[in-house]
């Protein structure tokens, strides 16, 4: 497999570097970040709750079962 070289802005490079796990290779970081994430029910509910800023803490805890 041959490797390709790409050129990115400093901002994009810094963002990629901030998402690295430990000393992970940049190519692995990019692969991991580009993989589609399967949404679970809790994740979907958390995203919905983020869109509802008026939910109280007790209501939030009740909805996620705490």
């Amino acid at each position: 497999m041959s490797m390709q070289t790409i050129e990115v802005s400093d901002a994009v490079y810094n963002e990629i570097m901030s998402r690295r796990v430990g000393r992970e290779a940049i190519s692995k970081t990019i692969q991991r970040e580009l993989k589609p994430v399967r949404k679970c029910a809790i994740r979907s509910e958390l995203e919905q709750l983020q869109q509802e800023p008026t939910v109280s803490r007790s209501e939030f805890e009740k909805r996620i079962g705490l």
Side-chain angles (χ1 to χ4, degrees), residues 39 42-56 59-60 63:
K39 290 187 180 179
I42 298 255
R43 184 181 181 118
S44 296
E45 186 159 357
L46 287 173
E47 287 176 354
Q48 180 183 2
L49 290 172
Q50 284 178 333
Q51 295 173 1
E52 300 174 12
T54 58
V55 175
S56 69
E59 178 65 24
F60 174 77
R63 285 176 121 181

Side-chain angles (χ1 to χ4, degrees), residues 24-62:
E24 178 179 59
I26 294 173
S27 60
K28 293 294 180 191
T29 303
I30 293 170
Q31 286 177 350
R32 183 174 41 78
E33 290 292 324
L34 292 177
K35 283 183 182 178
V37 176
R38 216 176 64 201
K39 290 187 180 179
C40 63
I42 298 255
R43 184 181 181 118
S44 296
E45 186 159 357
L46 287 173
E47 287 176 354
Q48 180 183 2
L49 290 172
Q50 284 178 333
Q51 295 173 1
E52 300 174 12
T54 58
V55 175
S56 69
R57 182 183 176 116
S58 61
E59 178 65 24
F60 174 77
E61 290 174 346
K62 185 171 119 184

